[in-house]
Amino acid sequence: MKKLLLTLFCVLQINLIFAANAKYDSENYNLNLEYNDVITPGDAIFVRMNITVPKNHKKNKNEPEKKATLQLLQDKKILESAPFYQLKSKKTNITEMLCGIPVSLWLKDGNYSIKVIYADNDSDIKEFILPSRLVMRTFPEEVIELDERNTSIKTDNSPERAAQIEKLNNILFTTMPSDVFSLKRFTTPTESQRYTAYCGDRRTYVYTNGKSSTSLHYGNDYGVPTGTEVRACAAGKVVMAENRISTGWSVVVEHLPGLYSLYYHMSELSVKEGDMVTQGQLLGKSGATGLATGPHLHWEIRLNGSAVRPEFFLNDFAFDAD
């Protein structure tokens, strides 16, 4: 595989997202890439790539499909990897592709890089490293003392809870390349600005028997009263809408291949599995069902199965601004 020389520059995006651009030109095609070049624990890396061929290019019906892969490396070790998926393009000589990979909430200081592997055909395979920089983030720690009810939920090892966890994981680790429902920046699911917890918080749960366990909090909690309207952060497909032991009345919406938003602890639901929703559509109302110490909304974002800070997606993460 060949190493490519890239033409690079940075511009300031809306909401203070820095986007870097990379370009590669050849006789048969040109690659133009736009991506966020900051690697930060709990965020994601998104790359949008346009492949342009000459307008007089005649596509052969046996011509192989263009393929590309995005990777996050620590030294030479692959930490995350995902294939690009195609977007609709108005121009016949341009193929648009997008890919996102999560950056672990546990990421430590080190030597990291972003790699793109592009295959125009089986024999024309190129790879290159996108210049990037590491910005570390610290997360708060908290101790939560649980009552008997919440201790029982947190320590529940029943087959029913195990089956619920397996079902949710099967959904969150599913990537459907054709499921491109929204490229817009997300909006918050409630108008409230009262946060009681954030994604990445390190939590120690203390049980009524004196024992404890430590875990990460995977979403943002809004301290809102029961009955507060909960709305979809972006257009998508409802892939789960049910009552669960740990998360109570819950909704999961698919927005892009491998990208899901989750809404927990609601008191009632307004959608069902299979529904298509628009950005801002009512999903239900907040509550205190499942493992909850009081009324609130837990809003979570998963990318390829991993939790990503919801704030990341309030920006133009797909580089789709007009």
Side-chain angles (χ1 to χ4, degrees):
M1 294 184 181
K2 301 177 181 179
K3 301 288 183 180
L4 304 187
L5 296 177
L6 304 176
T7 303
L8 297 148
F9 59 92
C10 291
V11 296
L12 184 64
Q13 286 291 103
I14 299 174
N15 285 358
L16 301 180
I17 278 259
F18 283 94
N21 291 72
K23 184 177 181 180
Y24 172 75
D25 296 324
S26 73
E27 293 182 0
N28 299 320
Y29 56 86
N30 300 324
L31 301 181
N32 288 278
L33 302 94
E34 193 168 11
Y35 69 103
N36 55 296
D37 63 344
V38 178
I39 301 172
T40 301
D43 283 1
I45 300 295
F46 269 79
V47 178
R48 186 160 181 162
M49 179 164 58
N50 288 354
I51 304 108
T52 305
V53 299
K55 290 186 177 181
N56 59 358
H57 172 76
K58 294 183 179 180
K59 187 174 181 180
N60 188 319
K61 64 179 181 179
N62 297 321
E63 187 175 318
E65 182 181 354
K66 297 175 176 61
K67 297 180 180 179
T69 301
L70 177 62
Q71 296 179 340
L72 176 63
L73 308 177
Q74 181 178 19
D75 297 317
K76 294 183 179 181
K77 180 182 178 181
I78 300 173
L79 300 181
E80 295 286 344
S81 180
F84 280 74
Y85 45 89
Q86 288 197 17
L87 307 177
K88 291 182 179 179
S89 178
K90 297 179 181 179
K91 298 182 178 180
T92 57
N93 67 318
I94 296 178
T95 300
E96 291 192 66
M97 307 180 81
L98 182 69
C99 186
I101 52 176
V103 180
S104 173
L105 287 160
W106 293 107
L107 194 78
K108 305 295 184 182
D109 196 8
N111 181 31
Y112 299 95
S113 58
I114 305 167
K115 177 188 281 189
V116 171
I117 302 172
Y118 174 72
D120 192 60
N121 54 58
D122 293 337
S123 59
D124 186 7
I125 301 174
K126 297 178 173 63
E127 64 177 28
F128 49 91
I129 299 296
L130 298 177
S132 59
R133 55 194 173 94
L134 176 69
V135 176
M136 294 303 295
R137 173 182 283 125
T138 57
F139 297 92
E141 300 180 3
E142 62 177 336
V143 177
I144 300 177
E145 295 186 357
L146 301 180
D147 57 17
E148 289 188 7
R149 171 183 170 276
N150 284 322
T151 293
S152 176
I153 293 175
K154 184 66 177 174
T155 58
D156 186 337
N157 295 317
S158 67
E160 181 184 3
R161 183 167 181 249
Q164 290 178 355
I165 293 172
E166 182 180 10
K167 178 181 178 180
L168 179 60
N169 284 337
N170 287 339
I171 290 173
L172 299 180
F173 283 92
T174 296
T175 300
M176 300 297 291
S178 61
D179 289 355
V180 178
F181 301 122
S182 175
L183 297 172
K184 294 183 178 180
R185 66 184 69 201
F186 288 5
T187 54
T188 55
T190 173
E191 294 180 356
S192 174
Q193 298 297 314
R194 181 173 179 261
Y195 294 91
T196 56
Y198 290 92
C199 179
D201 289 358
R202 273 58 176 165
R203 286 184 164 182
T204 297
Y205 292 97
V206 180
Y207 307 135
T208 52
N209 60 8
K211 295 183 179 181
S212 64
S213 64
T214 300
S215 61
L216 287 184
H217 187 241
Y218 287 137
N220 288 350
D221 285 351
Y222 292 88
V224 293
T226 295
T228 301
E229 291 185 342
V230 177
R231 298 186 176 277
C233 64
K237 180 180 180 180
V238 177
V239 292
M240 176 181 284
E242 63 186 42
N243 193 16
R244 305 177 71 248
I245 293 172
S246 295
T247 61
W249 286 105
S250 307
V251 172
V252 180
V253 180
E254 179 190 20
H255 304 289
L256 286 171
L259 181 61
Y260 300 86
S261 61
L262 302 85
Y263 312 78
Y264 288 165
H265 309 298
M266 292 197 280
S267 59
E268 61 180 86
L269 305 185
S270 301
V271 293
K272 64 183 183 301
E273 183 178 332
D275 285 352
M276 299 301 298
V277 296
T278 57
Q279 188 173 50
Q281 183 173 329
L282 184 67
L283 299 178
K285 295 183 179 180
S286 65
T289 56
L291 178 60
T293 57
H296 72 287
L297 169 67
H298 174 98
W299 180 40
E300 185 174 321
I301 306 296
R302 293 290 187 109
L303 175 61
N304 301 342
S306 296
V308 178
R309 295 172 62 251
E311 294 90 335
F312 176 85
F313 295 95
L314 299 178
N315 299 286
D316 183 24
F317 67 94
F319 311 107
D320 200 55
D322 294 332

